[in-house]
Amino acid sequence: MKIKYYFLLLLFLPLFSACQNDDENSKRDINKIELPAGFHIEVYADVPNARAMVLADDGTLFVGSRAEGKVHAITAGERKVIVIDENISSPAGVDLLNGDLYVSAVSRILKYPDILKQLDNPPEPVVITDQYPDEASHGWKFIKFGPDDKLYVPVGAPCNICLSQDSIFASITRISKDGSNMEIIAHGIRNTVGFDWHPETGVLWFTENGRDRMGDYKPPDEINKLTEIGQHFGYPYVHGDSVTDPQFWQKKPQGFEWQKPEVNLAAHVAALGMRFYTGDMFPQKYHNGIFFAEHGSWNRSSKIGYRVMFVPVHNGIAGKKEIFASGWLQGEEYWGRPVDVEIMSDGSVLVSDDYAGKVYRVYYE
């Protein structure tokens, strides 16, 4: 019998050692994260290619992916990770309405009815619309229901810099929950992968990724706000406050006007998911301000981003941006890339990381 147990020990020891090494690596990496005094971070769940997130009222967290083609659910309490669906085309965006889960899939929006009652046996999705373009470039989508119970769906430019004849590109659209009544509400947005509504004013704010290949320091990424339906935010003619595009500025329409950013960010930081902080856990300075993820640069001579930022907002005006969480970038090497943020009911903040395959929880004591 001793020989049998010894054989089993030898069989499973490599697996045990690998799990132990993974835990040690995770602890070592997370200790690199720098936060303001009083804040702490932990790994909330392991989720491959974790992108956009949404929390249900019961604490279940839904997480989309882009590269994995899967949608995950993480249960509250035991934090069990469940695959809701797989083999989907870039299901980066997720949101909930009346107990139904909505998922973006490039040209389609899928609905999983009454999902919280069917986590162990998820239903087949209902395609509520397939009217969006199937372009792969900037084709993955962050989606979110607005205060009007309409689903807001961005459509990125199908390129780095171009002027498409189809007005749906470089826009934000919205549709009814059944997929009908699609309308374009904002133009000239190269690609937004994160937006939220101010908790007091109800105004829509969004991040925007600037174009590439204009050098290390321009044009800026942006945080914008939509104050009127139909506003234009500059792309492809102009970027930021005044960075005119060398290819398209001269082609702008006569009398062209655009909405300037609320916040100019550094070039190439790849600002993605953002949320207004509506919790009570964090100090007062963070209340109703914006937390947003900078995914990090890919075409800059020295890397930038790979962090979570904060922008205070008072009386509808954005203040000075500041670094909130950093350390995923060490020198020129990165071990993680923040994607999205979400506010938990206790006031802590979740951060997704598609590169490390993690969801982190940041809390304050």
Side-chain angles (χ1 to χ4, degrees):
M1 293 296 291
K2 288 184 178 179
I3 294 176
K4 181 178 179 181
Y5 290 139
Y6 181 69
F7 173 75
L8 289 173
L9 179 63
L10 290 177
L11 183 64
F12 288 102
L13 187 60
L15 180 61
F16 174 77
S17 299
C19 293
Q20 194 173 34
N21 288 338
D22 286 343
D23 289 341
E24 290 175 355
N25 290 337
S26 181
K27 290 177 181 177
R28 184 171 64 249
D29 286 339
I30 206 167
N31 286 335
K32 298 173 184 175
I33 302 299
E34 298 180 6
L35 293 158
F39 287 91
H40 309 272
I41 188 169
E42 64 178 359
V43 174
Y44 185 80
D46 293 307
V47 183
N49 195 239
R51 296 283 295 192
M53 302 179 289
V54 63
L55 269 167
D57 290 340
D58 71 348
T60 302
L61 179 70
F62 293 93
V63 185
S65 73
R66 175 182 161 193
E68 285 284 312
K70 297 179 180 179
V71 179
H72 294 87
I74 299 94
T75 61
E78 63 180 350
R79 302 181 188 177
K80 178 183 177 183
V81 179
I82 301 169
V83 176
I84 298 299
D85 205 351
E86 55 189 337
N87 299 318
I88 311 172
S89 179
S90 298
V94 291
D95 204 10
L96 291 161
L97 183 69
N98 300 329
D100 300 333
L101 175 67
Y102 291 75
V103 176
S104 65
V106 186
S107 62
R108 304 182 301 161
I109 304 295
L110 311 177
K111 181 178 78 171
Y112 297 79
D114 211 10
I115 188 63
L116 292 173
K117 296 180 180 178
Q118 305 182 74
L119 289 179
D120 292 327
N121 186 24
E124 288 294 317
V126 175
V127 179
I128 67 163
T129 183
D130 59 359
Q131 61 185 320
Y132 285 96
D134 59 5
E135 292 284 347
S137 181
H138 301 138
W140 57 96
K141 295 173 174 63
F142 178 94
I143 59 174
K144 194 170 179 65
F145 278 98
D148 54 6
D149 282 348
K150 291 191 175 183
L151 186 63
Y152 287 66
V153 183
V155 181
C159 55
N160 171 36
I161 185 75
C162 60
L163 181 59
S164 174
Q165 296 302 308
D166 190 340
S167 61
I168 197 172
F169 287 109
S171 76
I172 296 176
T173 74
R174 65 181 176 189
I175 55 177
S176 299
K177 63 183 180 180
D178 63 357
S180 63
N181 302 316
M182 194 260 275
E183 60 179 323
I184 299 173
I185 62 165
H187 301 270
I189 303 164
R190 180 176 177 270
N191 193 34
T192 176
V193 195
F195 43 85
D196 198 8
W197 286 261
H198 191 281
E200 294 176 339
T201 66
V203 171
L204 175 65
W205 294 59
F206 59 92
T207 59
E208 183 178 0
N209 290 176
R211 65 157 292 184
D212 299 313
R213 308 194 189 284
M214 284 186 72
D216 279 356
Y217 302 105
K218 63 180 183 181
D221 276 15
E222 304 171 13
I223 294 179
N224 293 296
K225 69 179 180 183
L226 178 71
T227 56
E228 293 181 12
I229 298 300
Q231 287 177 325
H232 198 290
F233 290 85
Y235 178 90
Y237 310 111
V238 60
H239 316 283
D241 289 329
S242 57
V243 180
T244 56
D245 192 86
Q247 183 177 351
F248 287 100
W249 177 246
Q250 298 302 325
K251 300 178 182 180
K252 66 185 182 300
Q254 188 174 5
F256 175 68
E257 294 183 357
W258 76 98
Q259 301 303 307
K260 295 185 178 181
E262 293 299 308
V263 184
N264 283 302
L265 308 175
H268 309 299
V269 295
L272 301 186
M274 61 155 280
R275 297 290 192 285
F276 285 99
Y277 184 73
T278 54
D280 295 323
M281 178 186 286
F282 290 8
Q284 185 65 36
K285 68 168 283 187
Y286 297 103
H287 290 197
N288 293 339
I290 298 171
F291 284 102
F292 67 97
E294 291 185 347
H295 197 227
S297 59
W298 65 269
N299 66 336
R300 194 176 186 274
S301 58
S302 58
K303 291 183 174 64
I304 190 172
Y306 307 90
R307 58 197 179 188
V308 177
M309 304 289 287
F310 175 74
V311 171
V313 178
H314 299 292
N315 299 319
I317 299 174
K320 184 179 179 181
K321 63 182 182 290
E322 61 184 66
I323 297 172
F324 177 73
S326 63
W328 287 276
L329 178 65
Q330 299 287 315
E332 286 297 299
E333 300 295 325
Y334 59 87
W335 60 269
R337 304 187 76 181
V339 177
D340 195 18
V341 295
E342 179 66 300
I343 316 301
M344 299 196 77
S345 60
D346 67 356
S348 58
V349 171
L350 298 177
V351 179
S352 61
D353 178 344
D354 65 347
Y355 186 81
K358 307 283 185 187
V359 175
Y360 312 99
R361 176 176 173 262
V362 179
Y363 60 98
Y364 180 80
E365 288 181 345

